[in-house]
Amino acid sequence: MKLSVIIPVYRVEATLDRCVTSVLRQDVADMEVILVDDGSPDRCPQMCDEWAKKDARIQVIHKANGGLSDARNAALDMAKGNFVTFVDSDDYLDDGTYAPLLSKMEGIDILEYAIADKLSLEDRFYDDVNTYWLESQAYNHTFACNKLYRRELFSNIRFPKGRVFEDAYTFPLLLKSAHNVRTTSQKGYHYCDNPQGITARADGSQLALLLEAHLNNNMPVDDTYYLRLANIQADVWEQTGQPIILPPRQVNHCLFKGSKKLKAITLNILGIRNLCRILKCIHYFRKPNRS
């Protein structure tokens, strides 16, 4: 088996057919598609079974609801492909996306490809995962969905059940097990914004878990990454009042422009705690209809 495509399914009646159709239209004969019905309370379980009857490449797992990580893990336990990829069931692919990507996988552990209208990438090979992490700013796009992985990377790695921002926990672990990463400018994945998704509606306690994932990932931190972490820390502190856990650091403000440069200068002079206070004040006065 060349490729295993894993699609978790939960409350996606409106988009499931589009997603599955786009995957089946890939020019990859030696492919399995694993639909994981994560205890969906709508017609999705029946829709999955109907798809399995139409195409022998489709396998269906029905399980009690356990969340996105649990659904992906269930499929990983049975995946047979040399390579594994994930598709969110409200997203879809362009025709002919996977075949040229698979042609680039010779000797590659992880291949990341661009996302239409969301993420652009260079055509580049990295034999050092730390260089990839910093120079491509991979910490901003740890998404599982726009990557192909050598399946062996998941031998001792699974997504954390019950965690939000599960990709931010898992992707650094996969990188630590990988010898190399390739990025390509090829697009083909269409990410569809979900206003009910965790990224759009994350609260302070959930952002605290995201910050924790970044601080515990054992990946290198440069000034640009640190400023990103400072933004997350400020949001967590503003929304929850939890103690500030981001270690202090001086950054090179000359690397930045505009508001980022001002933020870096403020950070250097006043420290992370006072930066958080200033950002909270700015957010307060920008709020509409504040009382």
Side-chain angles (χ1 to χ4, degrees), residues 110-149:
I110 299 174
L111 172 69
E112 181 176 25
Y113 63 108
I115 301 177
D117 303 320
K118 183 177 177 70
L119 175 66
S120 296
L121 294 168
E122 297 179 348
D123 296 306
R124 186 168 173 185
F125 171 78
Y126 298 87
D127 59 5
D128 181 85
V129 297
N130 290 334
T131 301
Y132 158 76
W133 180 256
L134 295 177
E135 293 190 5
S136 77
Q137 297 185 16
Y139 46 82
N140 286 328
H141 41 94
T142 60
F143 327 117
C145 60
N146 68 322
K147 301 172 180 71
L148 273 64
Y149 313 83

Side-chain angles (χ1 to χ4, degrees), residues 158-260:
R158 289 295 185 267
F159 292 91
K161 184 177 179 181
R163 287 274 192 175
V164 295
F165 297 108
E166 65 288 328
D167 297 343
Y169 284 88
T170 308
F171 190 49
L173 296 177
L174 294 168
L175 286 177
K176 289 297 185 181
S177 296
H179 295 97
N180 55 54
V181 180
R182 183 184 293 278
T183 60
T184 174
S185 59
Q186 177 191 326
K187 293 184 172 68
Y189 193 97
H190 290 265
Y191 173 85
C192 299
D193 287 318
N194 179 1
Q196 299 305 312
I198 184 62
T199 303
R201 58 183 176 85
D203 60 26
S205 61
Q206 292 165 331
L207 289 173
L209 294 175
L210 175 61
L211 180 62
E212 175 189 299
H214 280 288
L215 293 181
N216 294 324
N217 63 20
N218 294 318
M219 299 300 290
V221 178
D222 63 7
D223 290 347
T224 303
Y225 185 19
Y226 184 85
L227 206 60
R228 165 67 173 146
L229 297 178
N231 287 333
I232 302 173
Q233 176 65 88
D235 287 339
V236 172
W237 182 80
E238 178 179 343
Q239 295 182 40
T240 69
Q242 294 179 13
I244 292 173
I245 60 174
L246 182 65
R249 176 176 176 143
Q250 292 283 302
V251 300
N252 181 3
H253 66 268
C254 296
L255 297 173
F256 308 102
K257 297 180 180 179
S259 60
K260 288 185 178 180

Side-chain angles (χ1 to χ4, degrees), residues 25-89:
R25 289 175 66 174
Q26 300 302 306
D27 188 20
V28 180
D30 196 12
M31 175 180 74
E32 64 176 357
V33 181
I34 306 176
L35 300 178
V36 187
D37 161 35
D38 191 35
S40 191
D42 52 11
R43 285 193 61 254
C44 284
Q46 292 89 341
M47 294 172 70
C48 289
D49 289 338
E50 289 167 6
W51 272 112
K53 292 176 183 177
K54 294 177 186 177
D55 197 302
R57 292 174 292 176
I58 293 180
Q59 301 183 61
V60 178
I61 298 173
H62 294 289
K63 57 180 289 297
N65 179 251
L68 179 59
S69 290
D70 197 44
R72 287 175 177 168
N73 292 341
L76 284 169
D77 288 342
M78 65 178 290
K80 300 181 180 66
N82 296 327
F83 306 104
V84 174
T85 192
F86 303 91
V87 180
D88 291 344
S89 47

